[in-house]
Amino acid sequence: MPEAPLSKDEAGHGVPSIDAVFTPTQDEYNRMRLVSMLRKHVMIDMRKDMRDDYEGRVAPKVAKKTGKAPQTWREIEKAMEAEASYRFYSSVRYNAQEMSFNSVQDTVERVLPEMIAVGKEAAAKNPAGGSLATTPGFDVPKYVSNQDVHLIPGCFHSEWTADDVAQGAVTAWGGKVFAGAIPHRTDSPGGVALSIGNWLTYKFPDFKPKRMLDMGTCSGKNMLPYIDIFPGLESFGIDVAAPCLRYGHAQAEYYGYPAHFSQQNAEATNFPDGHFDLITSSFFFHEVPVPVTRRIIKECYRLLKPGGVMVHMELPPEKAVDAWQNFFWNWDTEFNNEPSYTMFRATDPTETCVRAGFAAEDCWEQSVPNFSSFSAEQFAKMARGEVPTPDHGSGGWFTFGARKQA
């Protein structure tokens, strides 16, 4: 089993750590902790209470009135939208979402000059051997720029000054608050990549990728672990958000990862045909319209070498879960500035891959065990299919993908 990435204390120091510049005051830190605990409360306790209310009171009420309980997620939504349990849950969840990112803004704004200086030094020196390429005046797609996705103020892409990294820092540190990682501060790269990368070593024992592309990479946290898992791997990450790329490049150089970041639209990249052995993404496709998803998967097919693999971690499709789960997942469409969320989940991932050129027998849709949730022995048994893998959100990550025929 490959080892997890280096911790901060073990990392090389060719440039300063951009994360070390993020130094909240005691009040700011306490605010972050409070918001993190509030969001955990709403996503676990209030979520359960709302479902209990639906099953114990609302569904029987609808059945008594109409002769049957709600059958689809839309019927559940219609039944719940006027109920106090759902309205209160939605209000608290919406505010906790906003506060996750607002809670780190004061700190980021106070230390932004120092963060920018670290980012510029990393770009000038590239001590790990990586690179950074951004494009002045880059045309950010309207499906990103038209709203503050995830309720992040300014979204991922906005730039407020030269060489800006603010939105990268707000997204990264706000994401820690959002995910409950405050006060449990950690600087290790992403668990999605650790999970999928290690799973690939079991699914395709013969697969030894030499060059990978991570689409919608943001700060690259779910790209870097692949470099540890596949020694000698040349790693590329693309995104439309320059501040996130600058922030991620500085992190990679500090940790000693020779990763290459560039500002590109995944619909049409500047890489040649067959350039990659491995293409990945994490929580990416539900952010883009379905026609764009189809263009990106077609681009994946073009970019993969024969025998190459693409694997995308995403939300489970509508067909894979019950009506209540679909009702729960699709909350984000209306309230979290993710208008493509429901439409993407209603598609068939395998059908999308086949339309792009992949053979149906080479496609998959399955849950991958979370690397951090299980022992090495348990992970291996799940990866080999000897025991079931938990569902997405309960110890597993939903993935879809395909291997291009040789």
Side-chain angles (χ1 to χ4, degrees):
M1 176 77 65
E3 296 294 325
L6 296 175
S7 69
K8 179 177 178 179
D9 292 337
E10 296 169 318
H13 294 268
V15 292
S17 166
I18 195 168
D19 280 328
V21 180
F22 185 87
T23 51
T25 65
Q26 188 64 49
D27 284 349
E28 290 166 350
Y29 180 65
N30 287 339
R31 185 184 307 125
M32 292 163 63
R33 290 184 63 186
L34 173 65
V35 174
S36 196
M37 289 186 287
L38 175 63
R39 189 174 185 281
K40 183 178 179 181
H41 173 67
V42 72
M43 296 304 292
I44 297 176
D45 301 325
M46 291 184 67
R47 172 183 174 182
K48 180 182 182 300
D49 291 343
M50 180 177 65
R51 183 164 190 172
D52 289 345
D53 183 53
Y54 168 73
E55 293 177 345
R57 184 181 64 84
V58 179
K61 180 176 70 172
V62 173
K64 183 177 180 180
K65 181 178 180 180
T66 66
K68 65 175 183 178
Q71 302 298 302
T72 69
W73 74 266
R74 291 188 184 278
E75 291 175 352
I76 295 175
E77 183 179 65
K78 184 178 179 180
M80 290 294 289
E81 60 188 1
E83 297 293 340
S85 58
Y86 178 59
R87 294 170 69 87
F88 183 55
Y89 163 85
S90 293
S91 178
V92 177
R93 180 175 174 182
Y94 184 95
N95 280 278
Q97 181 83 13
E98 278 195 318
M99 289 191 289
S100 292
F101 301 100
N102 290 338
S103 70
V104 304
Q105 278 190 300
D106 287 351
T107 309
V108 171
E109 290 174 7
R110 189 179 63 254
V111 302
L112 184 58
E114 291 84 357
M115 281 190 164
I116 289 174
V118 172
K120 290 174 69 175
E121 182 178 352
K125 293 181 177 179
N126 290 311
S131 65
L132 172 68
T134 58
T135 303
F138 182 85
D139 184 19
V140 176
K142 285 186 171 54
Y143 53 78
V144 173
S145 63
N146 276 353
Q147 63 268 318
D148 289 343
V149 179
H150 289 293
L151 305 183
I152 300 172
C155 198
F156 316 111
H157 66 288
S158 296
E159 299 186 62
W160 315 109
T161 188
D163 304 302
D164 201 3
V165 299
Q167 293 308 114
V170 167
T171 300
W173 282 95
K176 291 177 185 287
V177 176
F178 168 90
I182 303 296
H184 307 292
R185 175 173 175 166
T186 175
D187 295 299
S188 62
V192 173
L194 279 172
S195 304
I196 294 175
N198 281 288
W199 172 77
L200 284 172
T201 65
Y202 291 96
K203 183 171 180 66
F204 301 114
D206 64 321
F207 184 55
K208 309 294 181 185
K210 297 302 180 186
R211 186 182 295 129
M212 75 163 288
L213 173 65
D214 189 47
M215 292 178 156
T217 197
C218 198
S219 63
K221 74 173 186 177
N222 279 309
M223 170 178 62
L224 303 182
Y226 289 100
I227 299 174
D228 292 302
I229 294 166
F230 299 107
L233 182 69
E234 191 177 9
S235 181
F236 294 78
I238 62 172
D239 204 287
V240 300
C244 293
L245 294 168
R246 295 186 188 110
Y247 182 85
H249 173 256
Q251 287 183 312
E253 292 298 325
Y254 171 75
Y255 283 109
Y257 288 104
H260 304 282
F261 294 81
S262 61
Q263 190 176 19
Q264 296 194 55
N265 188 327
E267 298 176 58
T269 70
N270 63 11
F271 300 111
D273 293 356
H275 196 59
F276 297 101
D277 307 290
L278 174 63
I279 298 177
T280 65
S281 71
S282 306
F283 283 128
F284 174 45
F285 285 105
H286 70 270
E287 308 287 7
V288 305
V290 169
V292 173
T293 292
R294 291 172 179 154
R295 289 196 289 272
I296 293 173
I297 296 297
K298 191 171 182 180
E299 179 73 348
C300 290
Y301 187 83
R302 180 185 74 82
L303 293 172
L304 277 178
K305 293 179 180 179
V309 173
M310 72 167 186
V311 55
H312 305 288
M313 191 286 293
E314 253 303 343
L315 296 157
E318 187 175 310
K319 66 178 183 178
V321 298
D322 63 22
W324 175 267
Q325 283 295 97
N326 280 317
F327 163 69
F328 171 76
W329 290 119
N330 290 338
W331 182 94
D332 295 75
T333 302
E334 185 170 358
F335 299 111
N336 206 30
N337 282 355
E338 298 179 273
S340 298
Y341 200 105
T342 296
M343 290 182 287
F344 169 75
R345 293 193 59 251
T347 65
D348 185 306
T350 295
E351 180 184 342
T352 301
C353 295
V354 171
R355 288 179 60 159
F358 294 96
E361 62 268 25
D362 297 322
C363 301
W364 72 83
E365 301 173 32
Q366 69 182 88
S367 185
V368 169
N370 186 355
F371 184 84
S372 301
S373 297
F374 304 101
S375 68
E377 182 181 2
Q378 289 174 314
F379 183 93
K381 287 181 178 179
M382 292 178 188
R384 289 194 295 261
E386 296 170 4
V387 296
T389 297
D391 293 334
H392 181 94
S394 300
W397 302 107
F398 176 80
T399 70
F400 73 94
R403 190 167 194 178
K404 189 173 182 179
Q405 291 191 348

